[in-house]
Amino acid sequence: MALSNTIKVPTFTTIFHTSTTHPLPNTLFPLPSLRSCACKAIFNTTQLSSHLAQKSNNRLQPHSVDFQLSSLTALSPLDGRYWGKVKELTPFMSEYGLIFYRVLVEIKWLLKMSQIPEITEVPSFSEDAKSYLQSLIDDFSVNDALEIKEIEKVTNHDVKAVEYFLKQKCQSNAEVAKVLEFFHFACTSEDINNLAHALMLKEAMGSVMFPVMDKLIEALCKLAKDNAHVPMLSRTHGQPASPTTLGKEIAIFAVRLSRERKDLTQVEILGKFAGAVGNYNAHVVAYPDVNWPHIAEEFVKSLGLSFNPYVAQIETHDYMAKLFHSLIQFNNILLDFDRDVWGYISLGYFKQITKAGEIGSSTMPHKVNPIDFENSEGNLGVANGGLSHLSMKLPISRWQRDLTDSTVLRNMGVGIGHSLLAYKSTLQGIGKLQVNEARLSEDLNQCWEVLAEPIQTVMRRYGVPEPYEKLKELTRGRAVTKERIREFIERLDIPEAAKQNLLKLTPGTYVGTAVELARTVENAVNR
């Protein structure tokens, strides 16, 4: 998914402004003294309300100050508490990222026009001019983005601010200065924005999200193979069922996630570049001899995107809906895994490796809470809520254009950021898991009734009448022990070899092909 070497994502450093802290007082405000008598407490409610009002400003609330943005004052926890875990998305999914890709598209479009023979007003650039323009991309910095934001305060238009910034920057280059008015030539803002958003998604997924998804799938494959042989009691409808192995149950999630990972990579990231309403109206008037649809397709593809020829003012966002729906499904599968592992921890099938100094519960010292899986589950819910709105809203736009998508698109990083946070939480949780084979074995040994299934199946093979009913009478609502099962088998009128095979069965060996399925999970994932 990475772009060609012609597009370089700059190193990104974030600087937070700090502000003076105002700790809350150590003590709560004193209540007015209350009179009491034998029958009831009596107090003046007016006096109490007045006292509360006087004290509330400096006792119950932070001091009234002009807060500056920092990790403590950020409204979003992604930009505050969880910043360290999601900051690698910043070069792509932030306001900075959007501005950077706008700059990139504007410059690449000017370079493209210099290659169109019919546009004689923009002659081919020298290598020095090309290098200068490329340096504006390669060396783009936070200060450049801040400069564009200052211009936007005057223009009140974010894309126009980028155009003016580039014109200012290029005045010092004599060759480029001659064609400044060809920045943003025949473009509507959405020509620039839709390509910027597409590149943001493409690079965020390729550089950040896919590698973490792959780590998740790899971790699950390893967990599955390491525990391929460990028998485990299944539970269907919460009740004891035919045994499986721990590894095979983990393998299911590895394969499911790998399918969604593959589907995500197959979503075509689309771009348009067809002017105000998708018809190249202004282009054709200015240069009627240019094959503009062909030029637009070449340009969009040169950015590593697929071309969408049928659009209004905006790219229709259908690919975004598909991408976000696939991401939601990946998240749903991972949420299913989180809940299953949470349950296995609750049953004692897994212990959690602890670190010195960590607190599991603030009041119960013995507890080690499965917080990583709970954090993952919570963040997957937040992510899917945002991604669901994006996928449902973005394909809908009134007539040729409305602006409802503009503000919504600025929230792409929220759903993707919470997804990334969840993936890392699950990975952290997996790293703490320690299988408790003794507990798994204990559960199996208490459930000999699960052998009713193979026994009645063999009885069917050899024509024993009413096999299901006989096993139902033996097992349902009764304590079933190893001895009762063996006694039942001994009385069966079936071939001796079949009887001996049944007598060898235990809940721990009755696992079918689970071991092999778990051991070969990587074949299925790679396929």
Side-chain angles (χ1 to χ4, degrees), residues 177-197:
K178 294 177 182 178
V179 293
L180 291 180
E181 291 306 321
F182 281 86
F183 275 117
H184 204 69
F185 179 78
C187 294
T188 182
S189 295
E190 187 58 21
D191 285 331
I192 308 302
N193 280 339
N194 92 96
L195 297 181
H197 286 128

Side-chain angles (χ1 to χ4, degrees), residues 14-19 68-84:
T14 298
I15 301 173
F16 281 122
H17 297 288
T18 57
S19 60
Q68 299 297 311
L69 178 63
S70 75
S71 60
L72 287 176
T73 60
L75 293 180
S76 166
L78 293 179
D79 298 317
R81 180 180 182 88
Y82 302 125
W83 167 253

Side-chain angles (χ1 to χ4, degrees), residues 186-192 194 271-284 291-294 296-297 300 307-316 399-401:
C187 294
T188 182
S189 295
E190 187 58 21
D191 285 331
I192 308 302
N194 92 96
K272 59 86 65 172
F273 208 71
V277 292
N279 303 326
Y280 309 95
N281 303 50
H283 308 62
V284 171
N291 185 345
W292 286 109
H294 178 68
E297 182 173 6
V300 170
F307 181 62
N308 186 353
Y310 287 91
V311 294
Q313 184 173 110
I314 64 171
E315 200 288 318
T316 53
W399 294 338
Q400 285 69 52
R401 173 69 160 129

Side-chain angles (χ1 to χ4, degrees), residues 22-73:
H22 298 272
L24 290 172
N26 292 327
T27 58
L28 295 174
F29 58 85
L31 288 172
S33 58
L34 304 181
R35 288 179 161 184
S36 63
C37 67
C39 59
K40 62 181 178 179
I42 302 173
F43 60 92
N44 188 322
T45 55
T46 303
Q47 179 186 3
L48 178 58
S49 298
S50 175
H51 185 81
L52 289 173
Q54 292 172 8
K55 295 292 184 179
S56 63
N57 286 337
N58 60 4
R59 294 292 186 176
L60 294 181
Q61 300 172 358
H63 290 290
S64 178
V65 295
D66 182 15
F67 282 116
Q68 299 297 311
L69 178 63
S70 75
S71 60
L72 287 176
T73 60

